[in-house]
């Protein structure tokens, strides 16, 4: 059996998809990559320590509104992260389109 060979660009795109938070199992099924290969690529590129989260901005208002403000800030932060993730996924999908068209045409 012949061993599959992947380009560096393809590997980078797959790692970007992984960085968006998509599960490894789904990535492997979608792109036809083994979990071992994907884990090896991730370990070669990614540092072992995790990236720290952005700090939450607090305001100095009265104590009654403080809890409500904190929840609003957390929700805004969560929505911003989700928006960034969606934008990144869209960009990755745009880059991956040429690869998916090549792999899905078997006729």
């Amino acid at each position: 059996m012949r061993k599959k060979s992947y380009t560096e660009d393809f590997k980078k795109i797959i790692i970007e998809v992984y960085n968006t938070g998509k599960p490894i199992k789904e990535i492997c099924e979608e792109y036809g990559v083994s979990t071992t290969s994907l884990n090896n690529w991730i370990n070669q590129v990614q540092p072992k320590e995790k990236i720290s989260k952005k700090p939450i901005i607090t305001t100095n208002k009265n104590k009654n509104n403080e809890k409500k403000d904190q929840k609003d800030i957390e929700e805004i932060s969560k929505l911003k992260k989700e928006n960034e993730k969606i934008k990144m996924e869209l960009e990755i999908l745009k880059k991956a389109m040429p690869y998916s068209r090549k792999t899905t045409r078997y006729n």
Side-chain angles (χ1 to χ4, degrees):
M1 182 174 253
R2 187 169 174 234
K3 183 179 177 182
K4 288 186 178 182
S5 178
Y6 300 99
T7 64
E8 291 299 316
D9 289 336
F10 180 77
K11 291 176 185 179
K12 287 178 185 177
I13 289 171
I14 298 298
I15 291 170
E16 286 179 17
V17 172
Y18 168 77
N19 287 335
T20 64
K22 191 168 190 175
I24 291 177
K25 184 177 179 182
E26 286 182 28
I27 296 170
C28 293
E29 289 173 0
E30 187 174 334
Y31 293 96
V33 178
S34 71
T35 55
T36 305
S37 295
L38 180 55
N39 284 322
N40 288 338
W41 301 341
I42 293 167
N43 290 333
Q44 289 172 358
V45 175
Q46 301 290 329
K48 296 296 180 189
E49 66 274 353
K50 294 189 176 194
I51 299 171
S52 63
K53 294 182 180 180
K54 293 180 183 176
I56 297 175
I57 300 170
T58 58
T59 58
N60 293 330
K61 292 187 178 180
N62 66 31
K63 292 183 181 184
N64 294 336
N65 289 332
E66 200 169 292
K67 289 183 181 181
K68 183 179 177 186
D69 290 342
Q70 184 65 26
K71 287 181 182 179
D72 289 343
I73 291 169
E74 289 173 2
E75 184 176 354
I76 290 170
S77 177
K78 179 183 171 186
L79 291 171
K80 284 182 179 182
K81 288 178 186 178
E82 184 177 344
N83 193 23
E84 288 178 33
K85 179 181 173 184
I86 291 170
K87 284 180 181 179
M88 190 182 339
E89 286 176 351
L90 178 62
E91 197 62 36
I92 291 167
L93 289 173
K94 285 179 183 178
K95 291 178 185 178
M97 282 300 292
Y99 295 107
S100 65
R101 288 183 181 159
K102 289 179 185 176
T103 59
T104 57
R105 293 184 183 172
Y106 290 105
N107 298 349

